[in-house]
Amino acid sequence: MARPLALLVAVSAHLAWTAQVPLANGGVAFYDPGDHGGSMLDNAGDGLGEPLNVIISGLSSPEVLTYDGLINYARAIDFSTECFNIHLGNPMTADLGDGRGPTNQTVELRQDYDNAGVGTCLESLVGGNHFRVWQQNGSLANSGAMFLAVSKEEPATENHDIIPDGYNLGRDALVASAVGNRTRHGVKYQTTAVDVTGLMPAGSTGINHGIAVDGIVSVLTVRIAE
């Protein structure tokens, strides 16, 4: 049986945490994909992957853990859908160890520079943060958590390659934008974060572009305020 990794209450935005603690109410933040042959790297091709370095906890408000709910939350933290909803390239896959095997990303979102309408077009030109999303909801590990592959990329003139240290920097920028109170279309979000170690190794082995990661996964709990 997969080990539930439950999110602890944080008194600050970031706390290192490696414990595995079941919750009395039976809910879990997420399951370790490795328990059923999954991975904390997506499939970027050639045996390489990008780190799933942010998780939106399954303990978040249920409304957040849907496609529409995620989009609204993303816009509250300055991300939006791709420029004119045009996506170049094939969808990426990831195996979250939930029994479904490799699955296509749910959506890809880009920094919108405070303009949900055309801001992602600017990101496509000048670069910035972006992330892909997969949901852990198969029969073997049905946490409902959203796993995000977050990175900061170069401008179009550099073929959108990841900047040096772009996985760590992208993750940190997203978390900084998310933590605290945010509002979008009348929905008020309260987000806390903790840092988890032990899900993925530090270093560059198996990482796309050979860019090293620090091995930290940031777990966000997003609650909709009444």
Side-chain angles (χ1 to χ4, degrees):
M1 180 178 180
R3 299 186 304 272
L5 293 172
L7 187 61
L8 302 180
V9 176
V11 295
S12 63
H14 295 280
L15 291 176
W17 174 55
T18 58
Q20 301 166 13
V21 183
L23 294 180
N25 64 8
V28 296
F30 60 93
Y31 292 99
D32 181 346
D35 285 340
H36 288 291
S39 174
M40 288 297 294
L41 300 179
D42 67 17
N43 179 16
D46 297 325
L48 302 175
E50 298 187 345
L52 304 179
N53 49 10
V54 174
I55 298 173
I56 298 179
S57 162
L59 303 179
S60 301
S61 294
E63 297 87 346
V64 176
L65 302 175
T66 67
Y67 176 82
D68 289 337
L70 176 67
I71 296 297
N72 196 67
Y73 176 66
R75 287 174 173 160
I77 62 173
D78 299 326
F79 287 82
S80 193
T81 50
E82 294 190 270
C83 180
F84 300 117
N85 289 318
I86 297 173
H87 176 71
L88 300 178
N90 296 322
M92 302 282 273
T93 64
D95 186 347
L96 301 182
D98 60 2
R100 297 183 299 149
T103 58
N104 286 340
Q105 65 194 46
T106 302
V107 66
E108 184 166 352
L109 296 157
R110 297 182 178 275
Q111 186 175 354
D112 64 17
Y113 293 101
D114 296 321
N115 189 320
V118 298
T120 56
C121 299
L122 178 62
E123 192 278 340
S124 292
L125 289 174
V126 304
N129 291 327
H130 77 118
F131 64 91
R132 301 180 177 93
V133 184
W134 294 263
Q135 188 165 29
Q136 188 179 59
N137 57 7
S139 60
L140 294 183
N142 188 12
S143 68
M146 301 280 195
F147 285 64
L148 281 53
V150 187
S151 59
K152 186 172 184 178
E153 62 184 10
E154 303 274 12
T157 54
E158 299 295 329
N159 299 313
H160 290 157
D161 285 343
I162 308 302
I163 70 168
D165 202 28
Y167 298 121
N168 297 333
L169 293 175
R171 175 203 61 210
D172 291 347
L174 183 147
V175 173
S177 180
V179 168
N181 299 318
R182 304 288 184 268
T183 301
R184 175 73 182 179
H185 287 164
V187 182
K188 298 179 180 179
Y189 301 98
Q190 298 173 337
T191 303
T192 58
V194 295
D195 285 343
V196 175
T197 58
L199 285 172
M200 71 171 71
S204 61
T205 301
I207 305 296
N208 200 27
H209 305 293
I211 298 173
V213 298
D214 57 16
I216 293 173
V217 178
S218 293
V219 182
L220 307 180
T221 299
V222 184
R223 304 298 299 175
I224 293 178
E226 296 295 334

